[in-house]
Amino acid sequence: MNKQSFEEKQAFAAKVRARNYAASLRLEGFKPPVSELPMTKEIIISKYKSQVSQ
């Protein structure tokens, strides 16, 4: 039997949580955002820094 590591369990839970959140948004009539790139802390900070400097 293959035991999962703690990191694998956390990744699975995060994926399921995101999928459930998107499904909840669709049920409420909102279009969930489609993100092709995983949003890391650095990507989010650079996104908002670029908006402030414009």
Side-chain angles (χ1 to χ4, degrees), residues 35-41 43:
S35 177
E36 294 179 12
L37 296 174
M39 295 298 282
T40 63
K41 183 178 178 179
I43 293 172

Side-chain angles (χ1 to χ4, degrees), residues 18-35:
R19 189 173 47 215
N20 287 343
Y21 179 67
S24 176
L25 286 176
R26 281 192 296 275
L27 285 172
E28 292 296 325
F30 295 102
K31 185 175 181 184
V34 178
S35 177

Side-chain angles (χ1 to χ4, degrees), residues 2-21:
N2 186 12
K3 291 191 176 186
Q4 293 180 329
S5 70
F6 182 68
E7 290 80 19
E8 290 172 327
K9 290 178 183 180
Q10 282 183 316
F12 176 76
K15 187 170 38 169
V16 169
R17 189 179 316 119
R19 189 173 47 215
N20 287 343
Y21 179 67

